């Protein structure tokens, strides 16, 4: 935390993609909220290759406000990359990531800061209800979080969003991560540290539509999954074990019933049935083989991700 003689520096990272209509409004609200606090401020807008008026509006905002730093990506790389670019440029004692579409309430920023001053290294905004968000999107996100838990990724509160604050220590660890297929919040979750949560209700979008298409969301969910859990890789292995076991049971049944006891139940097990059992057995063996491969692939994947082995807090 900042020394008491010098006010701390708060960085705010805002990824934006084609937000021309709401941006001026957003910045005004942010400015109003930040006023009256003694903190030093750094506001980083990352223009994620917008092809509307956004760049011009951002330039105007930056020209009239010396706290604002503007990064322009050469094309649309996606929110995760844009956020990462902003985080890499942040130098604050604490950094807040917030959407530029007005959905994350700027009024909560002081509350995030308070929790951080109380000692939380990561303060996570948790979306409790979302007015006017499609049923599919809500159900999808619930499914995502519950399956993460089923697949053995603990400690992720359902509804966690990108709206979060991280301490400069967490930021400096984040900057060391090199993997390319990334989901920013999953990486921050992975980093650990003391967390605190703030519930919020997302504002409806004032302008435009969410630029995250269904396809992008599915990709994001998959990415989050794959980077946090190896369960999808191991799935066929487990299935193989199960199927092989099944074929064992079936063949024991067949042998005992037909050949040893002479078909007392009158099941009349045919050669085709025996063949079926053998196929089941072979499929099981094949899937187990895939599962074994998956174990090695998973190892290669972790090596390639090149995450630090551990993170020292103190
Ligand atoms: N965004 C971005 N690049 C993209 C898509 C979105 O930087 O390719 C920004 C967008 O401008 C907004 C934030 O990321 O500030 C959240 O995007 P959106 O509102 O589309 O997503 P949702 O609210 O559904 O999470
Ligand atoms: Mg949004």
């Amino acid at each position: 935390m900042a020394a008491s003689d010098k006010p701390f520096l708060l960085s705010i990272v805002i990824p934006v993609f084609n937000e021309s209509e709401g941006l001026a409004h957003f910045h005004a609200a942010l400015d109003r909220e930040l006023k009256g606090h003694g903190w030093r401020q750094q506001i980083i807008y990352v223009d994620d290759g917008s092809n509307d008026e956004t760049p011009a509006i951002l330039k105007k905002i930056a020209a009239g406000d010396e706290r604002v730093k503007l990064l322009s990506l050469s094309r649309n790389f996606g929110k995760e990359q844009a956020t990462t670019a902003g985080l890499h440029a942040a130098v604050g004692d604490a950094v807040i990531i917030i959407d530029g579409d007005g959905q994350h309430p700027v009024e909560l920023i002081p509350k995030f800061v308070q929790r951080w001053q109380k000692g939380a290294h990561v303060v996570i905004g948790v979306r409790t209800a979302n007015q006017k968000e499609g049923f599919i999107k809500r159900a999808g996100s619930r499914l995502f979080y519950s399956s993460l838990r089923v697949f053995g990724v603990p400690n992720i509160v359902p509804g966690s969003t990108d709206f979060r604050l991280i301490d400069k220590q967490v930021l400096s660890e984040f900057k060391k991560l090199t993997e390319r297929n990334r989901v920013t919040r999953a990486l921050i979750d992975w980093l650990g540290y003391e967390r605190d949560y703030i519930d919020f209700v997302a504002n409806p979008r004032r302008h435009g539509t969410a630029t995250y298409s269904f396809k992008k969301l599915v990709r994001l969910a998959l990415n989050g999954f794959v980077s946090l859990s190896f369960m999808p890789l191991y799935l066929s292995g487990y299935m193989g074990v199960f199927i092989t076991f099944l074929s064992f049971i079936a063949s024991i049944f067949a042998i005992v019933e037909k050949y040893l006891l002479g078909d007392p139940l009158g099941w009349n097990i045919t050669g085709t049935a025996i063949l079926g059992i053998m196929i089941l057995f072979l499929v099981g063996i094949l899937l187990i083989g895939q599962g074994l491969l998956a174990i090695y692939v998973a190892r290669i994947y972790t090596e390639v991700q090149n995450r630090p082995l551990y993170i020292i807090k103190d």
Side-chain angles (χ1 to χ4, degrees), residues 178-211:
T178 56
E179 64 202 76
R180 334 204 119 249
N181 270 312
R182 52 172 60 214
V183 178
T184 314
R185 56 177 175 273
L187 289 179
I188 295 175
D189 288 333
W190 181 83
L191 284 172
Y193 289 96
E194 296 85 353
R195 302 180 206 178
D196 205 344
Y197 299 87
I198 292 178
D199 290 342
F200 76 95
V201 178
N203 298 320
R205 235 176 194 279
R206 297 178 144 259
H207 301 279
T209 48
T211 35

Side-chain angles (χ1 to χ4, degrees), residues 213-235:
S213 61
F214 184 67
K215 212 170 99 193
K216 270 192 191 169
L217 275 177
V218 170
R219 203 183 307 153
L220 187 73
L222 270 180
N223 256 335
F225 238 106
V226 169
S227 75
L228 285 172
S229 163
F230 285 128
M231 196 56 189
L233 259 186
Y234 295 152
L235 211 57

